[in-house]
Amino acid sequence: MLKKHSRSCPGHRCALETVRIIARMLDVTVELLPMSEQVCHLNAIDAKGHQAMGEVAVDRMLSLPKQLALSPTVAATPEVIERLQ
């Protein structure tokens, strides 16, 4: 059972803590990081120009995407930027 935090957590800290809690529940052993603290959609375009919007639609694409983007454009969390550097 998850316990409600009595303290409020600012922006990406809440998203990060939520991802960590779920990862522990699912016994995930690799580090998972939220891409953003803001609501956004994953968009993809394949080699033929077919577009898919949303993670499920992108997963269902018949060919690999040639382009991936987030809509709207959002800022990455500091942890993600740190790991990419």
Side-chain angles (χ1 to χ4, degrees):
M1 174 70 60
L2 297 177
K3 294 181 181 178
K4 184 177 180 181
H5 290 281
S6 59
R7 60 181 170 77
S8 64
C9 53
H12 77 279
R13 300 305 313 169
C14 286
L16 181 60
E17 186 60 23
T18 300
V19 168
R20 287 180 175 162
I21 289 169
I22 293 171
R24 280 195 305 269
M25 289 173 60
L26 298 174
D27 200 27
V28 175
T29 57
V30 295
E31 182 179 33
L32 299 176
L33 297 171
M35 62 183 168
S36 177
E37 68 223 36
Q38 300 161 298
V39 176
C40 60
H41 299 283
L42 180 64
N43 297 317
I45 300 174
D46 69 12
K48 294 182 180 179
H50 299 120
Q51 296 184 7
M53 182 173 164
E55 291 180 40
V56 173
V58 172
D59 286 344
R60 291 182 178 161
M61 292 178 78
L62 299 177
S63 60
L64 289 175
K66 294 295 180 188
Q67 292 181 333
L68 290 172
L70 298 176
S71 177
T73 301
V74 293
T77 62
E79 291 83 5
V80 169
I81 293 170
E82 179 183 311
R83 299 314 187 285
L84 291 173
Q85 292 178 338

